[in-house]
């Protein structure tokens, strides 16, 4: 097989800083594990607007469609707050998600033991937690028509959004969740509101059908999304993979994220249909934004972005063992007590810089050989 290709879009604010550390990791895998990538870089967000007048140039979009995976830092910042909506930095990211048709958004909630004290929940509830929320990303109430604010027959304004899902939209994200479960704990819990929403009834029916016809060996359960929110806070370790729609996924993935502590630790992947080479269209990015309050100060935690690359190793390049190696290296560095400023507890201590954290993870990778 040819060398796998990666397009890096570092973006704005702390994006380029955390991506510099990811480049160290990518280089390490090339040098030490014979796992070289054909890496190209381009602009997105405000950085692209400054050069091209748009937050994502057509040539960059075309490149993103061609590579095996895109790795994105973050976009946005106060400098661009007053721009017209159509050219705001975030539009670059939305264009990527839309044109690559990335319908399956993966947000792991993984709690490293060394950080279990950071959670707002009791330590034994979250220590060792490892769950994955799969959120449908390209349909549902955020996209459904009709939508808008209009004046109704009684002369009162009303706001309308429409929850709408087709069978095929549900089936493809369900498949994505079952495939993931097969590589993990082999359990899927599907969440909707079939008790009060017709779209929920269809959701439940189609997920069950995909299960029965294609994945009978994966354990499947269904839960109402509100009960799911409660269970996530009560005993999150009961879950392996949760699959849900765009709206509930938005809420539940943020709840699950906070089980684990800091924004600087959270990776994500957005996957689409398989390409000709069998790899899914894929965009990997940290959950956090461009953090303008700390940009340029060497304070950013690069781990969310580094763990996003670990997801790329696992889901785009079929390198699960190397992804484990990278995640264990992160775990070791944290267990050794290294912390960037965002991970300092109330007792304080001396935080390490963005680059020192990256170097320590590379050293832990070396030690893993
Ligand atoms: P943010 O995620 O950038 O920052 C929130 C807080 O978390 C800040 O205090 C920040 O310093 C801290 N933080 C975030 N990432 C960190 C890291 N890696 N290490 C240490 N601390 C970290 O969210 P915000 O402040 O609401 O938004 C800032 C800008 O980012 C805005 O322009 C927003 O539109 C944009 N944004 C972009 C994305 C994205 O690119 N996917 C996501 C969210 C926000």
């Amino acid at each position: 097989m040819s060398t796998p290709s990666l397009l890096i879009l570092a973006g704005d604010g702390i994006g380029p800083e955390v991506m510099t550390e990811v480049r160290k990791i990518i280089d390490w895998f090339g040098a030490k594990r014979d796992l070289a990538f054909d890496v190209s870089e381009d602009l997105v967000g405000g950085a692209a607007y400054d050069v091209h007048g748009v937050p994502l140039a057509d040539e960059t979009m075309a490149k993103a469609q061609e590579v095996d995976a895109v790795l994105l830092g973050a976009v946005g910042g106060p400098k661009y707050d007053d721009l017209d909506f159509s050219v705001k930095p975030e539009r670059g990211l939305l264009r990527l998600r839309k044109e690559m048709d990335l319908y399956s958004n993966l947000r792991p909630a993984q709690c490293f033991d060394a950080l279990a004290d950071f959670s707002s929940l009791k330590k034994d509830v979250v220590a060792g937690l490892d769950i994955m929320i799969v959120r449908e990303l390209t349909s549902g109430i955020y996209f459904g028509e009709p939508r808008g604010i209009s004046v109704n027959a009684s002369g009162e304004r009303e706001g309308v959004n429409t929850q709408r899902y087709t069978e095929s939209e549900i089936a493809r994200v369900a498949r994505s969740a079952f495939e993931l479960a097969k590589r993990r704990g082999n359990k899927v819990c599907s969440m909707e509101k079939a008790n009060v929403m017709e779209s929920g009834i269809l959701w439940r029916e189609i997920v069950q059908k995909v299960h029965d016809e294609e994945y009978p060996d994966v354990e499947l359960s269904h839960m109402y999304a509100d009960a799911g929110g409660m269970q996530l806070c009560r005993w999150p370790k009961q879950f392996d993979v949760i699959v849900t729609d765009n709206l509930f996924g938005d809420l539940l993935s943020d709840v699950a994220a906070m089980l684990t502590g800091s924004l600087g630790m959270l990776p994500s992947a957005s996957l689409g249909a398989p390409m000709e080479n069998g790899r899914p269209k894929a965009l990997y990015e940290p959950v956090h934004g461009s953090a303008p309050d700390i940009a340029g100060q060497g304070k950013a935690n690069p781990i969310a972005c580094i763990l996003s690359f670990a997801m790329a190793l696992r889901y785009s390049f079929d390198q699960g063992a190397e992804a484990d190696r990278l995640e264990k290296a992160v775990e070791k560095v944290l267990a050794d007590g290294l912390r960037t400023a965002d991970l300092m507890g109330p007792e304080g201590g001396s935080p390490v810089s963005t680059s020192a954290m990256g170097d320590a993870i590379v050293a832990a990778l070396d030690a893993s050989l």
Side-chain angles (χ1 to χ4, degrees), residues 95 110 131 187 210 224 250 264 344 363:
R95 181 175 179 198
Q110 197 174 5
I131 61 181
K187 254 177 24 174
V210 170
Y224 297 138
D250 196 3
M344 297 304 317

Side-chain angles (χ1 to χ4, degrees), residues 25 34 46 56 80 106 108 134 144 149 197 202 222 259 268 273 304 337 366:
I25 308 284
D34 201 16
L56 188 76
Y80 308 103
L106 278 49
V134 178
I149 302 176
M197 294 170 76
L202 186 69
H222 302 274
L259 301 175
S268 80
D366 271 333

Side-chain angles (χ1 to χ4, degrees), residues 107 133 248-259 266 287:
R107 296 248 316 242
I133 307 237
F248 297 137
D250 196 3
L251 306 182
L252 294 170
S253 62
D254 269 18
V255 171
M258 275 304 104
L259 301 175
L266 297 168
V287 168

